[in-house]
Each structure stands twice: as structure tokens, then as C-alpha cells.
Amino acid sequence: MNSEEFRQRGREMVDYIAGYLDNISDRRVTPNIEPGYLRPLLPEDPPLEGESFNDIMADVESKIMPGVTHWQHPRFHAYFPSGNSYPSILGDMLSDAIGCIGFSWAASPACTELETIVLDWLGKMVGLPEAFLAFPETSKGGGVIQGSASECVFVSLLAARAHKIRELKISHPEEDEGALLSKLIAYCSKEAHSCVEKAAMMAFTKLRILEPDENHSLRGDVLAEQMAQDKEMGLIPFYVETTLGTTSCCSFDNIKEIGPVCEKYDVWLHCDAAYGGNSFICPELRGPMAGIEYASSFNFNPNKFMLTNFDCSLMWVRDRFRLTQALVVDPLYLQHSYSEQSIDYRHWGIPLSRRFRALKLWFVIRCYGVQGLQKYVREHCRLAKLFESLVLKDDRFEVCSPVHLGLVCFRLNGSNSVNQKLLSSINASGRLHMVPASLGDK
């Protein structure tokens, strides 16, 4: 394909994307197919010769789209908000065209430097303490783009584990690392995302899952009591995961109470604000952040509530050296002459290779501005309260937990099986898509 053909196909693809998003409400939200639907529709073997772009796009519409769940659909109410935007799509298109692999500063300086700058922008936008930012001279912190909140939790847990074992090796030089690892224990709430359990499993560390209070919030006294008991048993607390905006009901753990407990026991405190953290760009919604100065790390996902397409999970640390010490592997072929003066993001996460994801964030922030993004978040909150008021006017239904941000948990007055049947009927219609939550025994 020459440059002129590329321009033509590019225009056609942009038109197709714009048309898809303009008319998405005409489609079913969820596909009406069964597992294995695609196999009979495609050849058993790949084509020996190239096919026409028109034929490929025709197959996109006739074969791929019937199997797509349309996350950008106005009646998609499952999982979490995932609002995309044209600036974000265009930023990602440019990233794909540039095609750099930004594992180090030398691999593509702008890729690294823009990420550092934009993460400082967003840190300021959500009100993080200066210690989490990269550019203040007195700061040891900084931010990085990860693939998902699950990745942020896993990376922070690995860093906490490595740091605690290094500390213990100083005071217990006779013990091998395996013995020390067997004593480490992490903590989270019953309402925490399942990725915490998975992270502990992959890191070979014990995890204590604690009961939240009646508002589904993990409290400091519960954590302190359990840590004291575990210490008496010879276990070593090293990591606490708190959630600011839980998956089931958007509840917030009390980090103002939990923080001092973590400080007392010298424990890494991670705050996962995957959905809820986006709302902190609005000053009036920052109440749950009280105590954030105790955190060692913090993350949220603009791809959930800030008009940025997946993948884009932002993570900040108060001490970047504690993070990178757990993840540094520095072969000769990746070294460069500016290593001492620059950030190399390959030391900040699991993968070596990384895309130029800062571009789409930069495009979104510049196109909407802070005020435009605040308006978007506030409108979600307004609509949630409006929906809550409508549910409360219908005595067939009940609202099951306080409404936070854009999430409303509601149910029919009746048994769990009746509610399961209602949900199944809604999803089977293809007109809306919703998912269940479990609160208490409901």
C-alpha cells in the first residue's frame, strides 16, 4: 500500500469509526450469538495472497460486529463506565503510527518525558501531595502508565514485598529469603477487587481478607486488631490494599484511619481508586482522599471515567526508588549514556515494551481542559442521583446502598432468584446490558 492508498484507506476507516459511533444506538448492546459463532464464518487457513481492503471491511461489518459487545453504547450499564472520545482515539492513532517502544528514555525521549509531565499534571488535577510528583526538587515520587489497575496492585505488592525482605535481611541475616517470605502477610477488604487475591497468589504471599463496616468501608480499628494478632503469631504485615470506589457499590475504605496503622507497623499502603479516583479532579468530591499522605502508592484509570480509551491505568509512588529496586534488570543492550539523568520506565512495571500512551491523555486533557473533564464527571453524578430518585418513586424497587458518583445499586423487592431472573431478561433483550452485585446476602 503506497502513501496515497494509505490516505484513502485512512479516510475510509475514520469515516467508518465516526459512523459506528454516531449510529451505535441502533445496534443491540450485546450480541445475539453463541460461543464458536465465528469459526464457521472464516476460512480454515490464512490467505496466500493479500485481499482487498474493501473485502476486509465488509467482513468487519458482517462477521465481526455481530459478535461485539458495544461498550460505547448509551444503554451499556455493565462493569464500569468506559467513555471514549475522539481526541483519545486520535491520540492513539498517532501513537500507533509513530510506533515507538518506549522502554527507556533513549528508546524515544518524548515518549518518556511526556508521560512524566502528563502524570504530574494529573497528580495535581486530583490533589495528590507533592511527594507523589516527579518534578518538585524535594520529591522522590512520580507517576507511570500501567495497563490496568490489576497491574498497579501487583506491581505495588511486589515492590512492598521486596522492600520488606530487604529490611528483614538486615535484622535477620541468618534467615534465607524463602523463610522470610513465608512469614509475610498482606491485607485487604472483602469488598476489594479480585485482583488483590490474584496478586497475592502470584507473589506467593499470604492475604488476610477483612470485613468492612455496614457501609462496606474497611476501618482502621479492624486492621489494627488483626495486625496485632498476626504479629503475635509470628507473621509480618507488609502490605495493605485499600479501595477508593469498590466494584460492587463504590464504597470507600477509610484511609484516614488505616494510614496511621500502616505507619505504625511500617507497612506499604496502596490505594486503588480505579474508578473513583477520576472524580477527585472535582475538589468537592475529594473527601475520600483524606489520609492520602500516608499512602505509598495510588492508582486510578482514566479509561473508566475520563474520556480516555483503554488501556490507561495511572500509578503514582511516593518513593520511586523503592518501586524500581524491586523490578530493575539492566542488561547491556538496554543501557544508555543518560541513565543517571532520566527515567527509564522499563523499571517501573512488568513489561519491557510499552506504547506511547501519554499521547492520548495529552490530547484529551488539552482538548477538554480540566473544567471540561470536571463537567463530564459532575454530569455522571447528577444522572445517577436522578436515576436514584426515579427508583425511589417506584415501590416495586429499592436502592441498596448509598449512591456514590455514577453508580446506583438497586433491586426488585423480592427474592434473589427473582432479581436474577430480571437481570437475565434484561440482558437477553439486547436493549440494555447490566451486571449483578452482591451486598450482604442480597
Side-chain angles (χ1 to χ4, degrees), residues 273-285:
Y275 166 61
N278 294 270
S279 69
F280 301 155
I281 63 172
C282 302
E284 73 275 14
L285 299 177

Side-chain angles (χ1 to χ4, degrees), residues 103-109 112 334-338 342-344:
F103 48 76
S104 70
W105 180 89
S108 190
T112 293
L334 295 178
Q335 295 172 19
H336 57 90
S337 56
Y338 293 101
S342 63
I343 284 175
D344 283 352

Side-chain angles (χ1 to χ4, degrees), residues 265-304:
Y265 287 97
D266 189 25
V267 167
W268 183 296
L269 172 60
H270 179 72
C271 298
D272 174 17
Y275 166 61
N278 294 270
S279 69
F280 301 155
I281 63 172
C282 302
E284 73 275 14
L285 299 177
R286 287 181 193 159
M289 283 188 81
I292 194 65
E293 65 274 10
Y294 291 103
S296 301
S297 52
F298 169 85
N299 74 271
F300 79 89
N301 297 6
N303 60 263
K304 287 186 175 171

